[in-house]
Amino acid sequence: MKYSRRLLVNGALAFAALALGVSSSNAQTPGKKYRFGFSQVTTLEPWRVQFNKDMRAESAKHPEIELIIADAGDRTDKQVADMDNFITQKMDVIFISPKESAGLTGVVEKATKAGIPVFVLDRNVDGKAFTQYIGGDNVAIGRAAGKYIVDALGGPGKARGNLIEIWGNQGVQAAHDRHNGVFESVGKEKGITLLNERVDIDWKQDKAYEYMKTMLRRFPKIDVVYAQNDPMAYGAYLAAKDLGREKQIKFIGADALPQEGATWVLNGELAATFLYPTPGAEGIRQALKMLKGEKIPPNVILDTEGVFKDNAKAFIASH
């Protein structure tokens, strides 16, 4: 299932000239070196590790770039401090993948006011006080997962079954987008029952394992588990396996790292996952375009695709 790249233009044109920071005075000059700072929320998640790896690989193609990555240790206060440090160092470009939106909005605005272009990657912040947002389409991922769930439970108008949804973090827009996308179709099916309330599992496999054990004790019949990322889906699978119930349930995730979610689909542990590409490499490319004086759009939305048992091997080979 493919979704073409879409470049979405927001209405903040009045701010865009300032945010883009593109003028004859900052266009790229031969032999000039650039320092790029990247504030990464955490390196504890495999998707984040791949994110950093892809970003470093792209920057290595451009000898004029010095890329500095700061790990916030999954803490908003540390991420604010890292951003402040980049501002003090007068980086040429700052990238940030925020832990949560509201707590990082102020420091992003501060960097922009200091005249530093800021690229927001993966998770957004509030407002439009930045140069560009780059990320996957989480609503499209949710829609694809929702369609799969409905089809797996009998098809539109006929679907029947009990569903558990495992949330990442309600303070992050991506979690709401993945939920809303799923329920565009699932919410129309009167025969599908959502069994659980919203509980933040913070995208973590171990927390999902413990949460799923509780769900399994509460509910004797669960047909589908939809987790908002693959580690949580896999944690839920392992909990069900420990109780001998894994074959009764379809586990669906998102992100589709080749060595993680896609492999779990290939192994039959997850039924499906949906690609959420890392945005770092595209961020490097977009920043270089800006520094060369090229006009860049305020939003770049990356492709997604579904990974199922019948295409998982080919997907892994191509990624």
Side-chain angles (χ1 to χ4, degrees), residues 233-273:
Y234 190 62
Y237 165 81
L238 292 176
K241 185 178 181 182
D242 284 350
L243 294 178
R245 290 176 60 182
E246 79 280 9
K247 296 188 185 306
Q248 306 165 14
I249 304 169
K250 292 184 182 296
F251 298 88
I252 300 159
D255 289 346
L257 288 180
Q259 71 277 19
E260 194 181 68
T263 293
W264 295 331
V265 171
L266 182 65
N267 293 342
E269 294 153 327
L270 302 187
T273 182

Side-chain angles (χ1 to χ4, degrees), residues 23 43 61 75 86 106 108 142 144 156 238 242 262 280 301 316:
S23 69
T43 55
K61 300 174 184 178
R75 289 168 41 202
F86 286 150
V108 169
L238 292 176
D242 284 350
I301 306 302
I316 293 167

